[in-house]
Amino acid sequence: MYNRSFSFVIPAYNEETNIQRIVDNAFTFLSKNFMYFEILIIDDGSTDTTQSICEQLILKYGEKVTVLRHLRNRGYGAALRSGLFGAENELIFYTDADNQFELNEIIDFMKYIDDFDLVIGYRKNRKDAIIRKFSSRVFNRLIFLIFGLNIKDIDCSFKLFKKSAVQSLSIETDEFLVDTELLVKAKRKNFTIKELPVTHYPRTNGKSSVKFRHVFTTLKDIFFLKSRLT
């Protein structure tokens, strides 16, 4: 068991079919492996029953579960920012609520976190539709060409940070460019990054919140970020 304090951050928007399972799995994993931990859910203005399920989870797990609720849907980046900067422990991990990752693989990440500021996953044998995988490859290449960021899987939502590193970054993006902004700024601060392969499962419940319109908002955010960094 690790004598380290660990924050497990979960951004969630309309995840009524997933949130119970991810929190139950996180609690089981964390209670076996960490002496001190918190599970921090950011309910980004959900309109389904996510909020009421979160309230039940607080009753079930007590002070180990905290919920930060946005009164309206502010965007994935805003939710993740609330979680990363609201986390209190020395190590901060985040994943999405869709149960597409193997939480036990956090143990592999722990082997490197003393020597690196960020340990981030890339999805091996990614279980998404072909169009999603193709668009991800195009996106990663575009970010490399614009920012020089050579990361295998920028948007993989399986990342472990030292609190001192991630909370020193100024994250402004409200939408899906948040991982890019975080990693670009981490690189510019010469933070060390370790990439590891992670198991990826197909989504079995709920729907992704990514919409076609996000292509255009992401392109806008890319050039806005570029302008702020030059």
Side-chain angles (χ1 to χ4, degrees), residues 9-221:
V9 174
I10 311 169
Y13 174 63
N14 287 348
E15 291 286 3
E16 62 184 2
T17 58
N18 287 309
I19 195 66
Q20 174 87 44
R21 179 182 167 195
I22 184 67
V23 173
D24 286 345
N25 288 345
F27 184 86
T28 298
F29 168 79
L30 293 167
S31 60
K32 289 179 180 178
N33 292 286
F34 291 91
M35 293 184 65
Y36 312 101
F37 68 89
E38 64 172 346
I39 300 172
L40 183 57
I41 307 166
I42 301 85
D43 177 9
D44 190 29
S46 296
T47 56
D48 62 1
T49 61
T50 297
Q51 180 182 4
S52 62
I53 295 171
C54 286
E55 291 170 355
Q56 295 169 21
L57 289 166
I58 293 172
L59 293 175
K60 182 177 182 179
Y61 293 119
E63 63 181 11
K64 292 297 186 182
V65 173
T66 301
V67 179
L68 301 179
R69 177 167 171 78
H70 294 171
L71 296 181
R72 60 176 179 82
N73 179 238
R74 291 166 48 190
Y76 182 77
L80 186 56
R81 183 171 62 246
S82 292
L84 295 180
F85 288 90
E88 298 181 352
N89 292 326
E90 61 177 314
L91 299 179
I92 303 174
F93 170 84
Y94 101 85
T95 192
D96 291 342
D98 51 16
N99 296 291
Q100 289 191 263
F101 294 99
E102 176 55 62
L103 298 186
N104 287 318
E105 291 178 355
I106 293 173
I107 298 300
D108 297 328
F109 282 44
M110 290 296 297
K111 298 173 185 176
Y112 295 95
I113 195 60
D114 285 335
D115 298 321
F116 293 87
D117 297 302
L118 294 77
V119 184
I120 64 175
Y122 63 90
R123 289 162 283 194
K124 59 183 181 181
N125 300 319
R126 183 174 176 178
K127 304 301 183 182
D128 282 329
I130 292 176
I131 187 63
R132 287 288 299 275
K133 291 187 283 188
F134 174 75
S135 61
S136 179
R137 286 196 295 269
V138 171
F139 176 77
N140 288 332
R141 182 61 180 170
L142 179 64
I143 295 303
F144 172 72
L145 292 173
I146 294 175
F147 298 103
L149 183 67
N150 190 17
I151 297 292
K152 294 182 177 69
D153 191 359
I154 294 169
D155 289 335
C156 179
S157 58
F158 199 93
K159 292 182 171 74
L160 177 64
F161 312 98
K162 288 176 179 171
K163 177 183 177 180
S164 58
V166 72
Q167 292 191 353
S168 73
L169 302 175
S170 174
I171 306 301
E172 304 171 72
T173 302
D174 283 342
E175 295 290 349
F176 290 99
L177 197 70
V178 60
D179 285 285
T180 300
E181 182 180 11
L182 190 155
L183 293 174
V184 167
K185 290 182 174 180
K187 278 288 190 181
R188 288 191 169 222
K189 283 201 168 191
N190 294 316
F191 289 155
T192 52
I193 301 175
K194 175 69 175 178
E195 296 182 78
L196 292 176
V198 292
T199 304
H200 190 242
Y201 300 120
R203 177 187 268 265
T204 57
N205 291 301
K207 295 180 180 180
S208 170
S209 58
V210 178
K211 308 295 182 185
F212 181 73
R213 65 179 174 81
H214 290 127
V215 173
F216 302 102
T217 58
T218 298
L219 288 173
K220 179 192 72 175
D221 289 343

